[in-house]
Amino acid sequence: MYKETKAGIFQIAINIDGEWWIDDSIIQWMNDLKNNGSKYNSRRTYANALNVFLHFYIYKPQIKLESLYDYMLRFRDELRNGLLIKTKRIIKTKRVHMEVDYTVLSRQPLGVKTVNTYMTAVQWYLTFLKEKKNGENIQSLFSEDVDWNLLKQKSIHGKGGGYGLMMNPLLAQLLGPRKKLIKNLSIKRGSDDLESYFPPELFLNLLSISNPREQAIYLLCGCAGTRIGQALSLTRDDYSYETREVYIVDPYSDEKGAAGRKGRFSIMKNYNIDLEKNPYKYVSCKYPIPLQYAPLLWISPTYKDNFFKVLAKVNKGNPIVNGHPFVFHTSSGKILTPSECYRTFKSKINILLDMVHTEWKEKNMNLSFEEKKVLNKNYQYLVNQLQKVKGLHSLRHMYGVMWADYTTNEMYHISMEQAQALCQFGLGHKSRESVFNYFTLRQKTRNSMVENLLRSTSEQEKMADYLKSYTSYTEFYFKRKI
């Protein structure tokens, strides 16, 4: 089992034949991760991963002549198919002395992402042991040779587990060169994740049924590619009405926003905010966006202008009274959380479904057969797409899809490669391949939504200049990275 011993630090205890053993080195690793800026939820996941692997190693050890690679693959396969660890326990009473089956640990089949995270956590921890072993005395369940008699004496006379279990040949093989032994399972994202994008055709409708605070959040997620936690981390220091720039700043860093007054970490310290505790642990940057420290890359300057218009209407409150510097908060002044945003967003989806159905019903009355066929097709697409929406991350997927849609219209003078570079840069992905699937979902018909925003020639020229300048910017960035 694993337990939080103090804020954000987890310990693991293993029950071996009725006795509890503690791996002291995990505490050191957890402190090391925390000091290096890892997130609370990440450390909790790593602790869970090590808890599972430690049990697996103790109760399902390497078979003779089984290679490390095969052993780790066996562990991974059991995670994917469902893990069940049993042992025998002796029950002794005055009348009964019997052996029974005892379930030590069980896990339902895990998804690919979770399995990859577990495998990474185990290998990171063992690498930590390798690096620390030469510089200090490491006591771990993964340690050198073990004298079982001495081990038992220590457990009887000492406090805690300590001495360690034999890890050879597993440790010796794994802790060679610093590299990942088992590659991550590939994740097919084309069908399951990316197709859950919010339909761009209904984005203006979404804004029309939302208040200014909601509009600002939806514009950040859908038109600037932010994650919901990043959007909720916005402070007054992160945007500027003069320069029309918005920055997403890592709360653990000394980076400054558009206003440039103080580093983010200093601001958090001034408000005595502990980013490891609720509700602030949800205000985080999984990875920075865009790809380098720069203002957010909006899908169009029109949407950026809309954001600053609605932001001016948002009740930002008094940060001293609220006790935090974040722009988005509840009526009582508390910071807004992703779960609260999701509940509101879900209600909007239901309203949009009703709107789409009502509009379809009204238009369907006096149409020809061919016109009804087109209308029904569009109606079915919108309903299906709204039903696929899983949360506010669907707005971030919409951002990727909209970049792809630009390539279907010649008026934007943008190539597929240029649009992919802009999409990758805006979303903050290190790999170009991460955005390829958006471009398999592109549709020419969706461009009417953007064209409606560009009614005048001046707006079209503004859009063309915008794309041209950012295309040059991203091309320079990626050439410099080669």
Side-chain angles (χ1 to χ4, degrees), residues 197 200-201 374 377-378 381-382 401 404-409 412 441-452:
Y197 65 86
E201 298 90 338
V374 174
K377 183 180 178 181
N378 290 337
Y381 156 72
L382 291 174
V401 166
D405 288 345
Y406 278 145
T407 63
T408 64
N409 197 317
Y412 303 123
L441 303 172
R442 65 197 181 108
Q443 291 186 24
K444 185 177 179 62
T445 54
R446 280 197 292 255
N447 273 286
S448 59
M449 178 202 63
V450 178
E451 288 165 7
N452 287 336

XYZ file of all heavy atoms in Angstrom, residues 197 200-201 374 377-378 381-382 401 404-409 412 441-452:
239
model
N -13.357 16.286 -30.653
C -13.258 17.744 -30.716
C -14.644 18.384 -30.697
O -15.625 17.823 -31.190
C -12.491 18.181 -31.968
C -13.173 17.860 -33.285
C -14.110 18.727 -33.845
C -12.873 16.687 -33.970
C -14.732 18.442 -35.040
C -13.486 16.379 -35.165
C -14.425 17.258 -35.701
O -15.047 16.955 -36.884
N -16.444 23.118 -34.509
C -16.206 24.565 -34.669
C -17.433 25.319 -35.156
O -17.599 26.501 -34.851
C -15.082 24.621 -35.714
C -14.406 23.297 -35.633
C -15.474 22.324 -35.289
N -18.314 24.636 -35.906
C -19.522 25.295 -36.426
C -20.413 25.839 -35.321
O -21.197 26.771 -35.541
C -20.348 24.308 -37.260
C -19.635 23.763 -38.485
C -18.860 22.498 -38.218
O -18.504 22.244 -37.049
O -18.599 21.760 -39.176
N -29.126 16.914 -47.474
C -27.959 17.680 -47.026
C -28.151 18.155 -45.589
O -27.251 18.059 -44.754
C -27.711 18.892 -47.952
C -26.586 19.771 -47.397
C -27.355 18.427 -49.363
N -27.788 15.308 -43.106
C -26.384 14.911 -42.968
C -25.643 15.852 -42.023
O -24.901 15.406 -41.124
C -25.705 14.888 -44.331
C -24.263 14.414 -44.295
C -23.655 14.412 -45.690
C -22.182 13.969 -45.631
N -21.556 13.990 -46.984
N -25.857 17.157 -42.204
C -25.209 18.150 -41.335
C -25.727 18.046 -39.904
O -24.968 18.162 -38.944
C -25.454 19.563 -41.873
C -24.714 19.822 -43.159
O -23.713 19.176 -43.457
N -25.210 20.760 -43.959
N -24.178 15.016 -38.213
C -22.778 15.283 -37.884
C -22.665 16.094 -36.592
O -21.890 15.762 -35.693
C -22.084 16.020 -39.031
C -20.877 16.813 -38.613
C -19.691 16.187 -38.240
C -20.920 18.208 -38.553
C -18.585 16.904 -37.825
C -19.820 18.941 -38.148
C -18.656 18.286 -37.785
O -17.569 19.013 -37.367
N -23.460 17.164 -36.486
C -23.378 18.038 -35.313
C -23.812 17.309 -34.042
O -23.181 17.429 -32.991
C -24.235 19.286 -35.525
C -23.748 20.275 -36.594
C -24.767 21.389 -36.793
C -22.398 20.847 -36.231
N -8.084 21.171 -35.018
C -8.895 20.928 -36.202
C -9.043 22.200 -37.036
O -9.038 22.164 -38.275
C -10.273 20.370 -35.782
C -11.266 20.431 -36.925
C -10.134 18.930 -35.303
N -6.185 22.812 -39.223
C -6.255 21.903 -40.376
C -7.238 22.426 -41.426
O -6.983 22.330 -42.627
C -6.657 20.513 -39.912
N -8.352 22.977 -40.965
C -9.366 23.468 -41.904
C -8.870 24.637 -42.747
O -9.347 24.847 -43.868
C -10.624 23.890 -41.135
C -11.394 22.695 -40.588
O -11.116 21.566 -41.041
O -12.252 22.883 -39.721
N -7.935 25.399 -42.220
C -7.392 26.519 -42.994
C -6.789 26.053 -44.323
O -6.786 26.782 -45.311
C -6.303 27.241 -42.195
C -6.818 28.245 -41.177
C -6.175 28.432 -39.961
C -7.939 29.020 -41.435
C -6.643 29.339 -39.025
C -8.414 29.931 -40.512
C -7.762 30.090 -39.312
O -8.227 30.997 -38.398
N -6.248 24.846 -44.331
C -5.547 24.367 -45.529
C -6.492 23.992 -46.660
O -6.050 23.701 -47.767
C -4.675 23.138 -45.195
O -5.512 22.063 -44.763
C -3.671 23.465 -44.101
N -7.816 23.993 -46.389
C -8.774 23.620 -47.438
C -9.238 24.828 -48.251
O -10.027 24.673 -49.169
C -10.010 22.938 -46.819
O -10.708 23.878 -45.981
C -9.595 21.725 -45.994
N -8.778 26.022 -47.900
C -9.216 27.231 -48.601
C -8.010 28.028 -49.076
O -7.137 28.383 -48.283
C -10.081 28.087 -47.674
C -10.889 29.124 -48.439
O -10.389 29.770 -49.343
N -12.144 29.269 -48.059
N -6.385 31.641 -47.708
C -5.480 31.833 -46.581
C -4.014 31.692 -46.979
O -3.129 32.034 -46.187
C -5.818 30.833 -45.469
C -7.252 30.936 -45.008
C -8.087 29.826 -45.054
C -7.772 32.142 -44.556
C -9.412 29.920 -44.648
C -9.092 32.240 -44.150
C -9.905 31.126 -44.206
O -11.212 31.224 -43.810
N -8.884 15.056 -40.148
C -10.260 15.380 -39.786
C -10.740 16.677 -40.441
O -11.873 17.090 -40.216
C -10.375 15.532 -38.258
C -9.937 14.332 -37.414
C -9.930 14.702 -35.939
C -10.852 13.154 -37.647
N -9.890 17.316 -41.226
C -10.224 18.635 -41.766
C -11.412 18.569 -42.726
O -11.615 17.567 -43.410
C -9.000 19.252 -42.461
C -8.533 18.513 -43.681
C -7.120 18.908 -44.081
N -6.704 18.194 -45.271
C -6.566 18.739 -46.468
N -6.767 20.026 -46.623
N -6.204 18.028 -47.505
N -12.179 19.653 -42.762
C -13.330 19.758 -43.649
C -13.402 21.139 -44.258
O -13.303 22.146 -43.558
C -14.630 19.481 -42.887
C -14.811 18.039 -42.439
C -16.172 17.828 -41.818
O -17.111 18.571 -42.102
N -16.284 16.817 -40.971
N -13.625 21.173 -45.549
C -13.716 22.459 -46.247
C -14.962 23.239 -45.815
O -14.938 24.457 -45.707
C -13.753 22.221 -47.758
C -13.716 23.487 -48.597
C -13.678 23.149 -50.069
C -13.670 24.410 -50.929
N -12.491 25.246 -50.701
N -16.058 22.520 -45.521
C -17.315 23.190 -45.186
C -17.216 24.025 -43.916
O -17.960 24.981 -43.740
C -18.433 22.147 -44.992
O -17.995 21.185 -44.015
C -18.733 21.423 -46.287
N -16.297 23.661 -43.026
C -16.199 24.395 -41.765
C -15.584 25.779 -41.940
O -15.668 26.603 -41.047
C -15.379 23.594 -40.751
C -16.168 22.498 -40.074
C -15.458 22.033 -38.828
N -14.234 21.337 -39.136
C -14.061 20.028 -39.069
N -15.054 19.257 -38.723
N -12.913 19.474 -39.346
N -14.971 26.037 -43.088
C -14.335 27.336 -43.277
C -15.339 28.473 -43.326
O -14.982 29.629 -43.139
C -13.503 27.334 -44.562
C -12.101 26.833 -44.320
O -11.293 27.526 -43.744
N -11.851 25.599 -44.722
N -16.605 28.139 -43.592
C -17.628 29.192 -43.621
C -17.715 29.898 -42.273
O -18.034 31.071 -42.188
C -18.987 28.597 -43.980
O -19.347 27.605 -43.036
N -17.424 29.165 -41.205
C -17.456 29.760 -39.867
C -16.423 30.870 -39.745
O -16.704 31.953 -39.244
C -17.189 28.686 -38.819
C -17.160 29.212 -37.398
S -16.257 28.124 -36.296
C -14.632 28.176 -36.987
N -15.200 30.604 -40.226
C -14.151 31.612 -40.162
C -14.428 32.728 -41.157
O -14.207 33.910 -40.868
C -12.775 30.963 -40.441
C -11.684 32.017 -40.431
C -12.480 29.893 -39.409
N -14.939 32.359 -42.332
C -15.228 33.370 -43.353
C -16.289 34.354 -42.881
O -16.271 35.536 -43.244
C -15.676 32.684 -44.643
C -14.522 31.968 -45.362
C -15.016 30.998 -46.421
O -16.231 30.982 -46.687
O -14.181 30.249 -46.962
N -17.227 33.884 -42.056
C -18.247 34.788 -41.508
C -17.633 35.851 -40.606
O -18.181 36.940 -40.447
C -19.289 33.991 -40.716
C -20.202 33.195 -41.627
O -20.379 33.545 -42.786
N -20.769 32.110 -41.111
